[in-house]
Amino acid sequence: MLSKKVSQITPSYTIGISTKVKALKQEGKTIVDLSIGEPDFFIPEKATERGVEAFHTNQTKYDLVPGLITLREAIVEKLKSENGVLYTPSDIVVSSGAKHAITNSLLAILDQGDEVILPVPYWTSYPEMIKICGGVPVLLQTNKTDQFKMTLESLKAHHTTKTKMLFINNPSNPTGAVYTKEELIPIVNYCIDNGIYILSDEIYERICYTDSFTSIPSISEAAKANTILINGLSKSAAMTGLRIGYTASSPEIAKAIATIQGHLVSHPSLASQWAGVGALTESKTEIDQMVAVYKSRREALIKQLNTMKGIEYITPDGAFYLYLNIGSIKEHVAFEGAFSLKVCDDLLNDYNLAVVPGIAFGTDDYIRLSYATELSLVQEGLKRIETYLQSKLNA
Ligand SMILES: Cc1ncc(COP(=O)(O)O)c(C=O)c1O
C-alpha cells in the first residue's frame, strides 16, 4: 500500500501536458508547445567547455557534499557583484536544480504540521513540495490590482501560531511580477520580528526587465539571517537539464541542508557543477544576450496582446511567461471541474496549442504561456488563442 502522503500529492500539471504533447506528436500532429518554462538557447559555450573538460580530466568521482569549492566561490562572487549580498562558501549548498534546493530547505526547517504561507498564484510545485516535506500550505490570495503581490496586511491575516515559513517568488512564475524594495521591507521585517523564515525563490532574477529587483537577503543583516535564498542556472544559463541549483543561508541552515543532501544524493553531477563554473564566471555576455532576446519578445508580444479582444494580461516585469486572464469566455464554455483545464484541452485538441491551465497556479481564470521559445511560434500561439476566444464569444 502506498503512503498516505503520496495520496495527497497532485501530479504535476506541466508534466501531464508534456506527456499529452508527446503523444500527439507521435500521432503525427504538429503542436505549438508554449507550455514549458525552458529556454530555447544552447547553454553558454564556456559552460559546455568546462563540463566536457571535467570528463576528460577525470573529474567524475565523489566530491564535497555542499558542492565544488570553485563553484561555491563563483556563486559567492555572483551574489556579491550582482545582488549586493555577502556570503561565504560555507553558506552555500549546491543541489540538483532549484527544485532540490527548495525541498532540501523545507526538510531542514519544517516539522510535521508546520504552516507555510504561499501567495497565490504560486509556482505549481510549491504546495506539493510543502506537503511532501510534512508542512501545510496556507494559501494567501492576492489581487490583480496589486499585480498579484502580497501585502503586509494579507500576510498578517494568514499568520498563526503554526506559521514557520513564507514563500516569496520574485520575479514570479507565473505572473512575472517583481516586488520593489519598498514593498518587500515591511513584509521582511514582519517575518523577522515574528520568527517566520523566508524562502526567497529568485531563480528568475537574472531575467528581469526593470531596475526594481531587490534580493531579499541584501535588505539587511537580519533579512539575510532569516532568509533561505534559492537560485540556480536552469533559467539564467538555459541549463535546465544539467540540474544545478543552490541555497544561500545562515551557516547553521546550510549545515543542516548539507547533512540532508549528504544522505540523499551526496552532490549534483560534477560535470554539471563545472559547467556551472563556466556559466557563472565566463558567460556574462551570452547570458545578457539571452535576456535581451526575452525582452524584445516580450515587447512584441505585449503589442500583439494590446490588439486582442477578450483577454487581460499582467505586464511581466521578469521571467518569460504571459499570464492571461480568459475569464471573459467562462460563461460561454461548458466545463466540469476546472475551467482553465477545459480551455487548455480545447486549445490542445482543436488548435494544436499547448499552454498551462491557471488552476496549476491556483487561479482558474488564467492560462500561462512561455515565451522562452521562438517569437514567431508564440505569436502564432496568441493568434490561435484569439481565434478560440472569438469562437466562444461569438457563439
Ligand atoms: C519559480 C521556480 N522555482 C524553481 C524552479 C525549478 O528550477 P530547476 O529546474 O532548477 O529545478 C522553477 C522551474 O520552472 C520555477 O519556475
Side-chain angles (χ1 to χ4, degrees), residues 10-21 33-37 120-125 127 173-175 321-327 329-330 333 335-349 353-370 385 388:
T10 313
S12 164
Y13 283 102
T14 37
I15 291 175
I17 293 161
S18 4
T19 313
K20 275 191 205 167
V21 170
D33 186 0
L34 307 179
S35 66
I36 317 169
V120 183
Y122 45 74
W123 176 51
T124 191
S125 288
N173 173 7
T175 66
Y321 303 105
L322 295 175
Y323 206 45
L324 308 179
N325 186 318
I326 37 98
I329 59 163
K330 203 166 189 173
V333 175
F335 63 95
E336 275 172 34
F339 159 68
S340 58
L341 265 181
K342 167 72 177 142
V343 170
C344 289
D345 274 347
D346 285 352
L347 288 171
L348 187 55
N349 297 328
L353 173 68
V355 295
V356 184
I359 189 77
F361 310 97
T363 41
D364 196 27
D365 280 1
Y366 287 77
I367 53 176
R368 189 202 75 178
L369 55 89
S370 159
I385 292 171
Y388 172 69

Side-chain angles (χ1 to χ4, degrees), residues 11 35 44 68 98-99 101 142 155 173 224 226 233 277 298 323 395:
S35 66
L68 274 173
K99 268 186 179 167
T142 57
L155 172 60
N173 173 7
K224 184 181 152 195
N226 195 55
L233 295 169
V277 172
R298 168 187 175 267
Y323 206 45

Side-chain angles (χ1 to χ4, degrees), residues 33-42 204 207 209 234-236 238 240 290-291 293-295 297-298 301 318-322 368-379:
D33 186 0
L34 307 179
S35 66
I36 317 169
E38 176 158 70
D40 57 331
F41 296 105
F42 274 50
Y204 293 100
I207 306 163
Y209 317 110
S234 300
K235 311 295 174 174
S236 58
T240 42
M290 294 183 205
V291 177
V293 171
Y294 297 134
K295 190 165 190 253
R297 286 178 189 167
R298 168 187 175 267
L301 293 167
F320 39 56
Y321 303 105
L322 295 175
R368 189 202 75 178
L369 55 89
S370 159
Y371 54 90
T373 197
E374 206 182 299
L375 178 61
S376 60
L377 287 179
V378 192
Q379 287 174 321

